[in-house]
Amino acid sequence: MIKAILIFNNHGKPRLIRFYQYFAEDMQQQIIRETFHLVSKRDDNVCNFLEGGSLIGGSDYKLIYRHYATLYFVFCVDSSESELGILDLIQVFVETLDKCFENVCELDLIFHMDKVHYILQEVVMGGMVLETNMNEIIAQVEVQNRLEKSESLPFILH
Amino acid sequence: MALKIVKGSIDRMFDKNLQDLVRGIRNHKEDEAKYISTCIDEIKQELKQDNIAVKANAVCKLTYLQMLGYDVSWAAFNIVEVMSSSKFTYKRIGYLAASQCFHESTDVIMLTTNQIRKDLSSPNQYDTGVALTGLSCFVTPDLARDLANDIMTLMSHTKPYIRKKAVLIMYKVFLKYPESLRPAFPRLKEKLEDPDPGVQSAAVNVICELARRNPKNYLSLAPLFFKLMTSSTNNWVLIKIIKLFGALTPLEPRLGKKLIEPLTNLIHSTSAMSLLYECVNTVIAVLISLSSGMPNHSASIQLCVQKLRILIEDSDQNLKYLGLLAMSKILKTHPKSVQSHKDLILQCLDDKDESIRLRALDLLYGMVSKKNLMEIVKKLMLHVDKAEGTTYRDELLTKIIDICSQSNYQYITNFEWYISILVELTRLEGTRHGHLIASQMLDVAIRVKAIRVFAVAQMATLLDNAHMLTGNTQRNGICEVLYAAAWICGEFSEHLENPMETLEAMLRPKVATLPGHIQAVYVQNAAKLFATVLKSQEGNTDSTTAQEASQLMIDRLPLFVQSANLEVQERASCILQLVKYIQKLQQKDVEVSEEVCALFAGELNPVAPKAQKKVPIPDGLDLDAWINEPPSESESEDEQPKAIFSKEEPKHSRPRHTEVDEKELARRREARKQEQANNPFYIKASPSSQKVYQETPGVEHIPVVQIDLSVPLKVPGLPMSDQYVKLEEERRQKERAEKKKKDKKKRKEKRSGRGKKHDSGPESEEDITPAHMVDIVTEEMPENALPSDDDERDPADPHKALDIDLDKPLADSEKLPVRSHRAAEVLKSPAEDEEGENVSSLEPKKKSSKEKREKKKDKDKDRKKSKEEKKKKKHKHEEKEEADLLCGQADEPAFQSEETNEVVTPPTSTSADEAATVAAAEAAPAPGAISVTTPDSEPEEPKDTEMEETKSSKHKKKKQKREKEDKEKKKKKKHHHHHHHHGDKGGEESVQNGTVEEEEPLPPMSNYCLLAENSYIKVMMEDADEAYDIQGNLQDGSQVVVSVIFENKCDSFLKSMEFNVLDSLNSKLQRPEGSGPHDSLTIPFQLPPGVSNEARFVFTVQSIIMPQKLKGTLTFIVKNEESSTHEKLDFKLHFTCTSYLITTPCYSDAFAKLLESGDLKSSSIRLEGVNMPFHHLLARICFHHHFSVVERIDSCASMYSRSIQGHHVCLLVKISSQTVSVDAKCDEPTLLGNVLDEIKQTFSQC
């Protein structure tokens, strides 16, 4: 199970948070801070796993993260997930974002948090991996976007 | 209206959208909080507007603010409003917001049940998808219970997209509502072989999660998974399965043996590192479970270790990390294979990556032996010196202590060395683990008697150099060590060379800067030392030393008497007075030493940390019982009249009394804590020592003396641990030499010589003898302690509830609550059953008007029955209201007089398709609820309904408005028509529910049969698996719900579908009030290409003893880009007699009684050439013909079913060599004949 997915930038500003277990808002912020603290002090050439922080998880949980340019993508997972598998999944997720936003950059995530969520929803659902095939993910996202577009045509044209 | 809409959209143009909000926040970096608070005010305004677009925009912004840490739960109701929008765009926003901020205690969640149910059954798969995604994040036990069946139905959806989501969410449902696991499991299992890889992967995922927590229940799936493992090429699925096998093998070693080969093959063949790694992991698990049962398992271990070495040597840090992780698993059972890679692991300690260093440390823990312990610790000590950052250094420190103390100091051969290691560790700056070192010192000193002389000497030196440790209060963690040092010196003071000197050290004024609990130990142990000094001077004529000691105490103790810490103060003043008295006696030359020593006589034995918990409760002692009668509540009331004369007194005395009690309690608690803190044997269990320190006032204000620490600290007089390594080496060599000599001697004596070469072989573990004759005192346990060492599982663990045996056949009582069908599944006790039968047999006679029934009821003598009916009615009423409100209809009299009508057929006045869907979705459950027959089968909470009512009434207007908008738009854009078809005869069809299927997973059986098909559309009717009788209905006859699936086979859009049947005298399609007997029903949905959907139709049937056929027509419009054509499809509905039977459980005694009664007519048939196992045969009868097995003995079974009008049908089925004989009895011969014919037909087809 995936307990949480956090995306924040090099300064620890959250760009997307997705908890699959309830935490109150202030706790969520603390977790982000703690995770940022843990992750940000690591060099880029060290391994991408670290033991979970004190706030989230416990001995069974691990933080698995990847650092892309200005953003950190952190997944907090338990031992039923394959570590390398999750690393691949992060890669798939980021590549999907890249396709959906055409050369994704931090600004896309800042201004379209909702869209990022919708994409993520096609990858992970309720803490479990839903789909790992990038083409399938993109296809579903696009159908839904079209659906949304068809609904938003100006009133007068109907 | 139009004006309002236009105004709404203009408003929208001026609203801030999410992008504007983000931009605004970025532009107000200085006063972000202020800016956001104005934004929240705006959002609040927007939420007040009627326009759903504005609301959705506001909710979207709130979702963003939630991410920034703002609590947005106040908008929960608005979120629900947006969720219930008919537009996908807004719905998605609503569900996203809900998934981000709803949780179990969000109270509006209970309002969402019906909305979610509606979305789940939406014709648009993305509505369903969005609802499933949202629900997965905020599902509550209530939602899980109410929606379990809906979700289970979705597991068989035509779209893989929905199937995979439904499968995944089932895991969440199981967690919240464990009762759903057994009924849903067969279908979940089925999904393991779903044609769609995504669905398959989801099912594997869910089962793996389940099996990980309770593996033993899933062992029976092993063959299936084995098949999947050898056939699947999807690495994700493979990884999950292989992980699952890792969890299963410890339970079933035979499985492990089978796994080794395919896993080894995978290891050799795969190029995916992730898969390779998981394979290695599982092979390790297998090998662990086999321990030594496999002949050639060493080859497998070698393979694993070799692969892991490759990983560890890889330049990719991730692989290195994982390699170490897996290595540590092998270590537990096969330490030898890992120990040969010690070089590699020690090398990893130098890695720049902390995670890797920590993993390497873990490995070291398991690699130590008597032989290499000193060497490894020496290496670690070097790392301690080099380490930057306290976390890693602290980690090293704990690891050193763990490594040394593991399994009761098994690997320590020289405790002097260990004590000096501990002393060296005290020089660590800023460590948090002072107490850990302290407890080790205490433990070793107490339990290893032989080491006490050495330990005491070391501790005395430590006390003498205490200033080194306490010089900087920043390093306060380490001063805990002084606690241990003082206690050891005091307790074992007889071993001190110079107690007087130590006494002096312990009473230095600087001690007063130490934390209170340490000072207390100092004072107490100073007294012990004092006693020792007196004792050593006993018989010495010159009493100056003794008097000096007394004087020293008297001089120094007053400092402690003034201590702010109570404990210190109390002990100090006590001891001070004692010493003063002793001094007096000394001056009179009285011998006191013996008495003083008696104060501290006796040896304390170590107590196991869990000892207290394990003291068995003596027989007859009930700890929960009151010792004295508790003050009764009435007592105080009794007292009141007495208080007339002394009003004040009782009032005062009572609170005072309790106050004293509380104080007393607090005091006792504190005393206990202190006692524990000061009792060295409690040190493990009491982490309070640090806390006590923090509470001490004024410690922070004491001026701090900075010590220049650039010179490495070397406490004079303390030996360096390193020298022990050398010494130990020498000692061992000497021993070996001696042994050799002995051996030679022996060999000389025994010329025969067994060929063992002690000298040439490497030193084995047993050869190393400890330097000291160590007597490790074991910890004491109370007598009769129960060996219940297994720490109970966390009671809050949700997975505990999922420890459910999945192989047991499903009992009727376990079926999922289906709103529409619940009644039929209620398991009745035999008595109730009979009663139920009475009721139902009465039913057909009842007249259809409410008044008449009322009258009847009045007449009814059986009170119970009437009670039941009242309940039923009440229930019905609620249901009706709910459906009614959600239809967006104003009160229609029709609803009250003809309840059955609205069940599926929406009043034609609501042509807006949304309303129709609502009606269908909401009203469908009604029949089930109405037919409730026993009080305990009334699970819908009225409360819930009430709330929904209020909410929906609120929404009604808005909704209507929205609907109209939508409708208009649609009309302009495309001409969508919906036609409902209502098949008329309900005999055969029934509601999809899948309860029967689950009972019999063996042969795949479908209960849908093809009704009609053309190039555009395929109509499938669900072969009646259950019929629903409406007991206590107003009408004569019975009602049957038919489920029909419409599947669009062409590339065009199908719409305006209308369903009609030609009513017969006996069977009629129920049409909405006000429509004629030949009007068709509009189907409340359209079908995009490739989509299928299900509609339910209600029929009333008069007589059920004969099968019925009804002719019907489906008309629809085929619309594609260029054109639209009107098409029509004829079909025949066939209601078999079987479909009027309800699966009803029957107890064998009731069954026997029934047969004895003699009211039943009998008949029989023979089936030849039936070529299937008997249980399959029974399963088929149960499944297709709605029977339940009463009893089964070998190849003979009795079965029972009951018709919706209360006819009993009993079967006796026997099989002997492909011939099946069915003897049947029923109180209605025609019905029986038809049922038997149908059974015959079923088997002739297969």
Side-chain angles (χ1 to χ4, degrees), chain B residues 44 172 188 196 269 335 360 387 415 433 444 475 556 652 662 727 783 893 932 938 961 992 1027 1055 1058 1066 1111 1140 1219:
Chain B
K44 283 184 177 162
K172 294 279 172 146
L188 183 60
D196 183 84
S269 66
F415 277 93
H433 293 298
V444 172
R475 309 158 57 202
R556 299 281 175 86
H652 273 281
E662 269 162 19
L727 283 175
E783 283 174 48
V932 165
E938 204 185 25
K961 210 191 302 160
Q992 164 174 10
K1055 50 186 197 164
E1058 291 188 9
N1066 192 30
K1111 274 188 190 165
Y1140 302 124
T1219 306

Side-chain angles (χ1 to χ4, degrees), chain B residues 31-295:
Chain B
D31 51 347
E32 193 182 289
K34 200 176 139 205
Y35 178 76
I36 289 178
S37 78
T38 58
C39 288
I40 289 180
D41 287 342
E42 280 169 23
I43 289 171
K44 283 184 177 162
Q45 287 307 315
E46 287 165 24
L47 288 175
K48 281 182 192 149
Q49 293 188 37
D50 283 344
N51 189 327
I52 191 70
V54 177
K55 263 189 195 160
N57 184 41
V59 165
C60 185
K61 288 190 281 185
L62 282 178
T63 313
Y64 184 82
L65 293 179
Q66 194 273 344
M67 177 178 79
L68 300 184
Y70 290 84
D71 177 18
V72 299
S73 55
W74 51 268
F77 186 77
N78 303 104
I79 291 172
V80 174
E81 284 180 305
V82 175
M83 275 162 73
S84 51
S85 159
S86 58
K87 275 202 182 183
F88 172 75
T89 316
Y90 304 145
K91 191 182 287 298
R92 179 151 84 151
I93 292 171
Y95 272 104
L96 175 61
S99 68
Q100 289 291 75
C101 68
F102 282 10
H103 50 94
E104 280 206 6
S105 49
T106 305
D107 45 7
V108 293
I109 280 194
M110 62 176 104
L111 299 179
T112 58
T113 315
N114 281 318
Q115 178 57 44
I116 295 171
R117 177 174 286 129
K118 187 185 134 191
D119 289 333
L120 290 183
S121 56
S122 161
N124 179 346
Q125 61 163 326
Y126 292 103
D127 283 353
T128 313
V130 154
L132 284 173
T133 307
L135 186 62
S136 70
C137 294
F138 57 78
V139 60
T140 63
D142 284 347
L143 281 177
R145 186 197 59 224
D146 293 340
L147 297 173
N149 196 62
D150 301 68
I151 297 170
M152 208 168 86
T153 312
L154 290 179
M155 284 208 281
S156 314
H157 198 273
T158 48
K159 297 282 175 194
Y161 178 72
I162 298 302
R163 284 208 301 274
K164 72 181 176 195
K165 287 194 169 197
V167 167
L168 272 192
I169 202 179
M170 275 322 278
Y171 179 63
K172 294 279 172 146
V173 172
F174 295 151
L175 283 182
K176 301 287 176 186
Y177 178 55
E179 290 88 335
S180 60
L181 177 57
R182 277 171 43 76
F185 194 72
R187 194 172 292 190
L188 183 60
K189 202 171 132 188
E190 221 174 270
K191 295 294 141 199
L192 285 177
E193 296 178 290
D194 196 277
D196 183 84
V199 181
Q200 200 184 45
S201 151
V204 170
N205 210 338
V206 170
I207 292 183
C208 288
E209 284 292 338
L210 289 169
R212 203 166 70 92
R213 313 294 180 147
N214 299 298
K216 67 176 187 314
N217 300 333
Y218 298 86
L219 268 179
S220 60
L221 290 184
L224 185 56
F225 276 116
F226 195 83
K227 201 178 100 192
L228 277 178
M229 183 178 80
T230 42
S231 62
S232 177
T233 51
N234 179 342
N235 279 353
W236 272 93
V237 170
L238 281 174
I239 286 176
K240 283 278 171 190
I241 293 176
I242 288 167
K243 266 183 168 285
L244 173 71
F245 277 134
L248 292 182
T249 43
L251 301 165
E252 180 52 277
R254 281 177 299 170
L255 176 65
K257 279 180 199 163
K258 278 201 167 172
L259 282 172
I260 290 276
E261 201 206 328
L263 286 179
T264 318
N265 290 344
L266 268 176
I267 291 177
H268 284 302
S269 66
T270 184
S271 58
M273 272 301 180
S274 46
L275 186 57
L276 170 87
Y277 173 68
E278 296 304 339
C279 287
V280 169
N281 253 332
T282 298
V283 170
I284 293 168
V286 168
L287 294 175
I288 289 173
S289 74
L290 293 175
S291 49
S292 58
M294 278 270 284

Side-chain angles (χ1 to χ4, degrees), chain B residues 376-641:
Chain B
I376 288 179
V377 172
K378 183 180 163 190
K379 191 129 194 194
L380 290 179
M381 291 299 282
L382 282 179
H383 281 280
V384 172
D385 286 343
K386 280 192 292 183
E388 310 150 11
T390 47
T391 357
Y392 178 58
R393 217 173 40 186
D394 279 356
E395 189 62 36
L396 275 169
L397 188 156
T398 46
K399 268 282 132 52
I400 291 175
I401 289 181
D402 279 357
I403 287 175
C404 293
S405 64
Q406 65 177 312
S407 7
N408 214 5
Y409 306 103
Q410 187 190 345
Y411 300 116
I412 296 185
T413 49
N414 186 335
F415 277 93
E416 279 185 26
W417 164 82
Y418 186 45
I419 293 276
S420 33
I421 286 284
L422 289 175
V423 172
E424 264 174 55
L425 285 174
T426 62
R427 283 176 239 160
L428 277 187
E429 227 179 308
T431 179
R432 288 180 290 119
H433 293 298
H435 62 276
L436 191 64
I437 304 176
S439 70
Q440 281 292 300
M441 287 173 168
L442 285 170
D443 201 41
V444 172
I446 292 167
R447 295 175 53 193
V448 187
K449 283 188 179 149
I451 201 67
R452 283 181 191 162
V453 182
F454 180 78
V456 165
Q458 292 293 303
M459 295 304 121
T461 326
L462 209 56
L463 285 177
D464 200 34
N465 295 286
H467 58 277
M468 298 268 203
L469 302 176
T470 56
N472 186 343
T473 34
Q474 298 304 105
R475 309 158 57 202
N476 54 35
I478 205 64
C479 63
E480 290 292 327
V481 187
L482 294 176
Y483 174 104
W487 191 87
I488 292 170
C489 287
E491 186 66 24
F492 306 120
S493 48
E494 69 268 20
H495 301 301
L496 270 179
E497 253 174 51
N498 196 342
M500 194 57 192
E501 229 169 63
T502 310
L503 181 63
E504 198 275 332
M506 281 170 72
L507 292 171
R508 279 179 202 155
K510 256 208 137 180
V511 172
T513 62
L514 288 173
H517 67 285
I518 298 178
Q519 284 186 53
V521 171
Y522 265 68
V523 171
Q524 184 74 13
N525 286 287
K528 290 184 195 167
L529 278 179
F530 174 64
T532 315
V533 173
L534 289 191
K535 200 177 175 193
S536 66
Q537 298 302 318
E538 199 179 18
N540 195 338
T541 43
D542 176 20
S543 65
T544 42
T545 321
Q547 281 180 11
E548 267 172 29
S550 310
Q551 196 52 45
L552 181 71
M553 295 286 277
I554 291 167
D555 289 348
R556 299 281 175 86
L557 278 175
L559 177 68
F560 298 100
V561 175
Q562 292 161 13
S563 169
N565 187 297
L566 273 182
E567 183 75 18
V568 180
Q569 207 185 80
E570 197 179 356
R571 286 177 193 245
S573 77
C574 227
I575 291 165
L576 180 60
Q577 293 313 314
L578 185 71
V579 176
K580 277 184 182 164
Y581 181 67
I582 291 169
Q583 197 183 33
K584 259 190 218 165
L585 291 175
Q586 279 175 334
Q587 279 158 2
K588 290 179 198 159
D589 272 341
V590 182
E591 275 293 326
V592 285
S593 67
E594 203 166 307
E595 282 87 349
V596 177
C597 283
L599 282 176
F600 307 105
E603 187 152 338
L604 295 168
N605 286 327
V607 177
K610 281 181 185 165
Q612 180 68 48
K613 241 175 33 188
K614 301 223 163 174
V615 178
I617 299 172
D619 278 346
L621 176 65
D622 181 3
L623 290 175
D624 294 327
W626 289 90
I627 296 173
N628 298 312
E629 274 307 299
S632 66
E633 307 253 320
S634 57
E635 203 181 342
S636 60
E637 277 166 16
D638 289 346
E639 269 170 16
Q640 267 183 0

Side-chain angles (χ1 to χ4, degrees), chain B residues 747 749-755:
Chain B
R747 240 181 277 169
E749 283 161 20
K750 293 187 192 175
R751 280 272 153 116
S752 55
R754 274 161 294 152

Side-chain angles (χ1 to χ4, degrees), chain B residues 362-380:
Chain B
D362 277 350
L363 270 175
L364 279 183
Y365 177 83
M367 288 174 66
V368 290
S369 62
K370 283 185 181 168
K371 202 166 47 167
N372 62 15
L373 176 71
M374 284 177 150
E375 183 197 340
I376 288 179
V377 172
K378 183 180 163 190
K379 191 129 194 194
L380 290 179

